[in-house]
Amino acid sequence: MWWPREGGWQTLQFSSDIWEDGDLPALVEWTGAPACVAQVSDSSLALVTGLGTDGRRWQAWLNLHVAAALLTEEPEDVDEVIYWVDTPEFHEAVGRTRAGLDAQVPSDAAGALAWAAAAGVPAAASQSRIEELLSSEETFVEELFGDLLDTLGFPAATGTTPQP
């Protein structure tokens, strides 16, 4: 369940053990409409993937500081990860990973805007605004995902309580 949106747009929230990678293309094929999914981890991180009816796909991480820490690979000589995460080397490695994620933000924002346009949503924001949003941080990444949809120009969620 999630807050309903006008114009025939449906937003859903459900357990990750229900969703699999092949479900997004199947959903787009079944509905004949573009679709987007945010795979959320502990409300602190999300990988957003959008897919258009033309097969064009885009992805973006939400809460890049958390993504950078998660995506930073540990060196092979590390015996205990718990000790490595408290070292200057870890923080430097996370900084490099974050720089790489930051470098992807402009193309991620362009992909999100192109996907929304293909979905028939009138452009509501500039690319710089989407970049700003993709680079921002929220305690609850679900709120950031909702803000992304709103900023892309999808009808605002309505109501005070999610609908089943």
Side-chain angles (χ1 to χ4, degrees):
M1 70 177 132
W2 199 279
W3 291 268
R5 292 178 179 264
E6 294 182 15
W9 291 103
Q10 180 65 50
T11 50
L12 304 170
Q13 179 178 355
F14 48 89
S15 174
S16 64
D17 53 341
I18 295 174
W19 189 263
E20 296 181 18
D21 288 335
D23 292 340
L24 185 58
L27 179 62
V28 169
E29 183 178 335
W30 179 65
T31 62
C36 180
V37 62
Q39 294 173 294
V40 175
S41 176
D42 293 330
S43 290
S44 62
L45 172 70
L47 177 61
V48 179
T49 305
L51 183 64
T53 56
D54 60 359
R56 289 183 60 190
R57 179 184 194 99
W58 69 274
Q59 285 190 310
W61 289 98
L62 300 180
N63 275 353
L64 295 181
H65 67 292
V66 178
L70 177 73
L71 296 172
T72 297
E73 293 185 31
E74 63 190 64
E76 291 180 21
D77 62 346
V78 170
D79 292 328
E80 292 290 330
V81 176
I82 192 77
Y83 299 119
W84 185 61
V85 298
D86 200 27
T87 66
E89 292 81 11
F90 171 76
H91 295 287
E92 289 170 14
V94 169
R96 288 189 300 275
T97 302
R98 174 65 191 257
L101 292 172
D102 287 336
Q104 293 174 347
V105 166
S107 63
D108 295 344
L113 285 164
W115 171 81
V121 176
S126 66
Q127 177 156 334
S128 62
R129 175 63 186 118
I130 299 299
E131 289 176 20
E132 180 183 308
L133 185 69
L134 292 178
S135 297
S136 66
E137 299 175 11
E138 285 287 336
T139 302
F140 298 104
V141 75
E142 294 89 348
E143 293 175 15
L144 193 52
F145 180 60
D147 291 346
L148 176 62
L149 294 176
D150 293 345
T151 304
L152 285 170
F154 286 87
T158 58
T160 56
T161 306
Q163 301 297 311

